[in-house]
Amino acid sequence: MSSQLPRIALTTGEPAGIGIDISLALAQLSLPAHIVAFTDPQLANERAQQLGMTLRFDVQERHQSSPQQAGVLKIKPLSLAVPCQTGVLDPRNAHYVLTMLQQACQGCMENQFDALVTAPVHKGVINKAGIPFSGHTEFFAEQTGTAEVVMMLRSTHLAVALVTTHLPLTQVSAAITQEKLTNVIQILHKDLQTRFGRKTPHILVCGLNPHAGEGGYLGQEEITTIIPVLEMLRKQGMQLTGPVPADTAFTEQMLQSVDVVLTMYHDQGLPVLKQQSFGDAVNITLGLPIIRTSVDHGTALTLAGTGKAQADSLLSAVKMAIKMINAQY
């Protein structure tokens, strides 16, 4: 453990959802990190009252870093465009959400923070406001000028990374080029080494088609794209298994000694991980010049303000960020 205190920017996400609820719940814990929540102070106060929580709010300017104390929420103040009704989306607050993400990301880029942890946003309401937005992963790639990033979800027992993220299924095949797949595997391999201490990462790669194409009878992508890339990267010393059929990739025998399963699209691997560990998994963006972790769930509008939202995934995301920060120091 480093003697330096990890500094974490926490974005509280869609104001109508559970992001602020779980951020308030997190503030009731003592943690070995300086955690600053980007939020509207009035929203935080109103939601705390709604949830029956007693917290002290500490508005941050340039205060010295200090460990998270139970019962205190450090706040980087922002202002909602319009008052928030719990559980009700309002496109007028979309710019508030994006400003939150921009400022937190900039704080990391300027070394004010060591990592960025994000509560969930609602893609639909941001797009409804007329702002093209496909997700945190793509947004932070653009903000940091990163050409290629990789989305990985990690739980206690399983890690799943994605070649493509938030794409309609009809666009997936065309998006998986040799260049794209090569870049994704190289980023995954490098970050497993530098951020997670895996000297020789073992990556299990799924095929795109049923039965991994079955020799071309069920699709050509394995033959034309996936296999040539894997053969090329193996010659560079990478430990890669595959392409394997996705329906057998997650068996106990296949997962032995594997560090991560690389799947071709969003719903090929994430249902398995979330079935095993929903609420405990952490979403990690690899390839960025900053550390970014997130919860593994959405805004859960119907749970907002009810006291039923669980902060387990947010706590896991913070602990993962602390672990990754300390690995860098």
Side-chain angles (χ1 to χ4, degrees), residues 40-255:
D40 185 310
Q42 184 175 346
L43 169 67
N45 185 53
E46 290 174 352
R47 193 66 62 86
Q49 291 182 17
Q50 189 174 357
L51 294 168
M53 293 181 181
T54 301
L55 290 169
R56 177 168 66 85
F57 299 111
D58 180 5
V59 177
Q60 296 286 293
E61 297 298 338
R62 292 185 177 274
H63 295 176
Q64 192 171 17
S65 298
S66 60
Q68 170 65 41
Q69 296 180 353
V72 179
L73 181 70
K74 299 186 183 81
I75 291 178
K76 169 64 176 174
L78 301 170
S79 297
L80 288 164
V82 294
C84 174
Q85 183 178 346
T86 304
V88 180
L89 297 170
D90 192 326
R92 291 175 293 179
N93 282 323
H95 283 285
Y96 159 83
V97 174
L98 294 184
T99 298
M100 174 193 305
L101 302 184
Q102 288 169 339
Q103 289 191 8
C105 183
Q106 183 178 354
C108 290
M109 293 291 287
E110 294 176 351
N111 198 35
Q112 297 171 25
F113 298 99
D114 301 306
L116 173 56
V117 176
T118 59
V121 297
H122 194 286
K123 302 178 190 68
V125 75
I126 296 174
N127 282 278
K128 191 173 182 180
I131 307 166
F133 181 84
S134 57
H136 278 114
T137 304
E138 298 81 3
F139 180 84
F140 291 131
E142 181 179 351
Q143 289 291 305
T144 60
T146 306
E148 191 83 65
V149 294
V150 177
M151 179 177 173
M152 181 176 81
L153 270 77
R154 182 174 177 177
S155 67
T156 305
H157 304 293
L158 181 65
V160 175
L162 310 177
V163 177
T164 62
T165 53
H166 303 112
L167 279 182
L169 197 54
T170 53
Q171 298 178 20
V172 168
S173 177
I176 302 173
T177 63
Q178 288 194 18
E179 180 182 11
K180 169 77 171 179
L181 183 58
T182 299
N183 290 340
V184 166
I185 294 176
Q186 288 176 334
I187 290 169
L188 185 55
H189 184 268
K190 178 183 176 182
D191 276 21
L192 285 170
Q193 290 180 318
T194 59
R195 297 207 189 276
F196 296 96
R198 299 291 192 267
K199 192 171 183 180
T200 309
H202 182 187
I203 302 171
L204 181 69
V205 182
C206 290
L208 172 65
N209 296 295
H211 301 181
E214 198 150 310
Y217 290 101
L218 294 177
Q220 294 291 313
E221 289 87 351
E222 285 77 14
I223 295 172
T224 60
T225 303
I226 301 174
I227 291 173
V229 168
L230 298 187
E231 289 178 345
M232 175 189 68
L233 294 176
R234 286 190 190 105
K235 292 177 182 177
Q236 297 177 14
M238 293 189 191
Q239 187 178 3
L240 306 170
T241 298
V244 300
D247 62 351
T248 57
F250 296 95
T251 60
E252 184 177 351
Q253 182 179 0
M254 289 296 297
L255 291 175

